[in-house]
Amino acid sequence: MITQLYCENYTFFLFLVGVLGIFLNQKSIIIIIMSLEIMFLSVSFNFIFFSLSLDNIIGQLFALAILTVAASESSIGLAILVVYYRIRNTITIELMTLTKG
């Protein structure tokens, strides 16, 4: 049986992996976007686990909204990266400062 403490530890570990992915790898924008998605996933898991333990559906609806926003954010970010790669032939963050307007 999955206990509530196990679920909290699991979501905390996923969130920590996402934060470490952002802070430790600041050169690749794709890894930063993947780390943000892991953080969104851990927050939505946390909402789902507490929704199941409290017998309330509101947490599951919040998780659905979070995943919807995360998917749209990821697709828009990747589309911007594809256009940027076609222009510059690289996607490193050091060269992103050249696009300031």
Side-chain angles (χ1 to χ4, degrees):
M1 173 102 185
I2 298 176
T3 62
Q4 186 174 359
L5 183 63
Y6 175 74
C7 295
E8 289 175 10
N9 288 338
Y10 181 69
T11 57
F12 177 73
F13 177 72
L14 275 178
F15 193 81
L16 187 65
V17 166
V19 169
L20 287 175
I22 289 175
F23 285 123
L24 294 179
N25 188 2
Q26 296 180 352
K27 295 191 186 294
S28 176
I29 192 76
I30 299 225
I31 294 178
I32 291 176
I33 289 175
M34 286 175 20
S35 298
L36 279 172
E37 293 298 320
I38 288 174
M39 290 170 61
F40 285 140
L41 184 68
S42 70
V43 169
S44 65
F45 275 167
N46 207 5
F47 276 129
I48 289 172
F49 291 144
F50 279 109
S51 172
L52 291 175
S53 67
L54 297 175
D55 197 27
N56 194 356
I57 199 165
I58 300 298
Q60 295 174 13
L61 292 176
F62 277 143
L64 185 63
I66 287 172
L67 291 176
T68 304
V69 169
S72 64
E73 173 259 334
S74 177
S75 64
I76 290 171
L78 287 175
I80 291 171
L81 281 177
V82 166
V83 170
Y84 184 80
Y85 181 76
R86 287 181 182 170
I87 294 171
R88 299 272 182 197
N89 291 330
T90 184
I91 53 172
T92 57
I93 293 183
E94 289 90 18
L95 298 176
M96 291 278 182
T97 58
L98 298 175
T99 60
K100 288 183 180 177

